[in-house]
Amino acid sequence: MLKFLKNLPLRRLLLITFVGQLIGVVGLVGYLSLINGQSTVETLAVQVRQELTARIEQELRSYFETPHEINRLNAAAFARGELDIDEAQFGEAQLYQQLKISPTVAFAYCGSSRKGEFFGVLRSPQDGSLQLSYGNSDNKFLRDYYNLDVAGQRTFKAFQATKPYDARQRPWYRAALSAQKPAWTDVYIAFTTRLPNTTASLPVYDRTGRQLLGVCATDVVLPEEFRSFLNSLEIGNSGQAFVLDRQGNLIANSSDEPLMIEVGDQVRSLQVLESQDPLVKGAGTFIQNTFGEFDQIRGSQQREFRLKGQRQFLDIVPFQDDFGLDWLIAVVVPEADFMRQIYANTRTTVLLALVGLALAMVLAILAAQILTRPVIEVCEAAENLAQGNFDQRVTPPPLRQIRR
């Protein structure tokens, strides 16, 4: 290498020295910039995912605290005789007001322990209007549905159910009796909306606390309001957020994908592994391959996986409350969503560096020519003198006049 450098002309040696230093400095600065950018992106990605999962968890808690509050109010009114569950003569105005101020609630009702009487107000799946529904011995437990006016009073009968309804046989009633405290049912498909529901229920006792009067319950239709909230989140450019239960059923997600699958005349929840969204399905597959089962995840997890060769950031946070809810919140964001701006800035930096390098090479060539011209002239004159040509003139470089 040294021999090669020694044989190079002085002009080329100076040019290689200048340009090599420039290329080394520019390359090092660009590499360090990219590495620092990736490190910053990873830190930012963690912060963004943590913030998103915290917001989702907070929204879920506020979303699912309301049904239990409504149940406490209705249980107290039931025990005091302000809700006529057995005869259905009065009480609908209170339930009407509760649904008016709680748009996430689909149905508020109570069932009696006497013969399974039922009394409640629901949100119509057809037009969103509020209706009274009750079943007792007077209508042979075929629930009647009445439209309500703006004061919450019944106006006229809309229709009647075709099958008898015994509140004591329903899962929400049995869940409260089994727990003997506030409880949640498993996610199920509602008869009226054919959408996934969950129900908060609370056993109601008399003033002595010994005799069971019945159970009050509140239905929450999961996908509607909460999906709107997930859709409103800014999860990068293509990230997804979703909630699933411990069996892997999708409760809600930030895409418009249907959460129900029809199998014949039956409807069931969509499994995360059946999702048509690549990110959701990829995250679900990674979770199952990593943990075996969804119910094995106990604490918050921050993981990475690759989907079609691209790195994906994944946060998994268990969501639980004091009444039996046990779900998982997942946020998955492609690395490219964060790196896009970094790559754009890197490309700009490289282009500017190449332009600067080109200018520097031109200046280096000019500088090498200026610096080496006198030396080359002296060398040529010396060579001519050595050959006997004494008629040589060498013009010395101009000297600066120093003024004192």
Side-chain angles (χ1 to χ4, degrees), residues 59-61 63-65 67 103-107 184-190 193-200 218-231 242-245 249-255 257 259-260 269-270 319 321 325-327:
E59 185 72 10
L60 276 175
R61 293 201 180 280
Y63 198 77
F64 291 106
E65 283 175 357
T104 60
V105 170
F107 209 161
W184 286 101
T185 66
D186 293 332
V187 176
Y188 62 94
I189 307 302
T193 63
R194 296 176 71 83
L195 291 174
N197 272 31
T198 187
T199 299
T218 302
D219 288 356
V220 180
V221 181
L222 300 176
E224 301 301 325
E225 296 294 330
F226 189 66
R227 173 177 274 191
S228 298
F229 166 75
L230 291 180
N231 283 332
F242 56 95
V243 180
L244 64 158
D245 64 18
N249 297 310
L250 278 173
I251 304 299
N253 63 4
S254 55
S255 71
E257 180 179 23
L259 298 176
M260 296 290 98
S269 297
L270 179 70
F319 172 77
D321 69 357
L325 280 185
D326 188 10
W327 295 342

Side-chain angles (χ1 to χ4, degrees), residues 44 113 118 169 182-184 189 203 208 224 261 286 288 323:
L44 177 62
S113 63
F118 179 88
Q169 304 304 316
W184 286 101
I189 307 302
T208 65
E224 301 301 325
I261 292 180
F286 172 79
Q288 189 176 63
F323 309 116

Side-chain angles (χ1 to χ4, degrees), residues 9 42 54 68 115 141 176 189 259 277 280 282 290 318 340 359 392:
E42 291 181 3
H68 290 288
K115 296 181 180 179
F141 294 92
I189 307 302
L259 298 176
D277 187 286
V280 175
T290 303
R340 184 174 285 107
L359 293 175
Q392 296 290 321

Side-chain angles (χ1 to χ4, degrees), residues 96-208:
Y96 173 88
Q97 293 301 326
Q98 291 169 352
L99 266 68
K100 288 291 287 184
I101 64 176
S102 302
T104 60
V105 170
F107 209 161
Y109 50 90
C110 295
S112 174
S113 63
R114 192 176 67 167
K115 296 181 180 179
E117 293 88 349
F118 179 88
F119 183 85
V121 171
L122 74 152
R123 203 177 302 277
S124 170
Q126 284 76 31
D127 56 13
S129 63
L130 301 183
Q131 295 176 328
L132 167 67
S133 176
Y134 68 84
N136 53 39
S137 55
D138 289 341
N139 58 15
K140 299 181 181 180
F141 294 92
L142 299 174
R143 283 166 48 182
D144 289 328
Y145 289 77
Y146 282 83
N147 289 335
L148 301 175
D149 61 20
V150 293
Q153 301 297 328
R154 69 193 79 179
T155 55
F156 59 89
K157 184 176 177 179
F159 63 95
Q160 186 180 53
T162 57
K163 295 182 180 180
Y165 187 93
D166 185 346
R168 299 169 298 179
Q169 304 304 316
R170 305 308 304 165
W172 54 268
Y173 194 100
R174 293 179 174 180
L177 292 189
S178 176
Q180 296 185 350
K181 62 180 182 179
W184 286 101
T185 66
D186 293 332
V187 176
Y188 62 94
I189 307 302
F191 290 127
T192 53
T193 63
R194 296 176 71 83
L195 291 174
N197 272 31
T198 187
T199 299
S201 57
L202 174 68
V204 183
Y205 297 92
D206 64 4
R207 294 182 179 180
T208 65

Side-chain angles (χ1 to χ4, degrees), residues 318-336:
F319 172 77
Q320 299 169 329
D321 69 357
D322 297 330
F323 309 116
L325 280 185
D326 188 10
W327 295 342
L328 296 173
I329 301 170
V331 175
V332 55
V333 188
E335 181 190 31

Side-chain angles (χ1 to χ4, degrees), residues 397-404:
L399 299 177
R400 294 183 179 178
Q401 295 181 354
I402 301 176
R403 294 182 180 180
R404 296 184 179 180

Side-chain angles (χ1 to χ4, degrees), residues 358-375:
L359 293 175
M361 290 178 64
V362 172
L363 294 177
I365 292 172
L366 294 176
Q369 290 178 345
I370 294 173
L371 292 175
T372 58
R373 184 181 296 117
V375 177

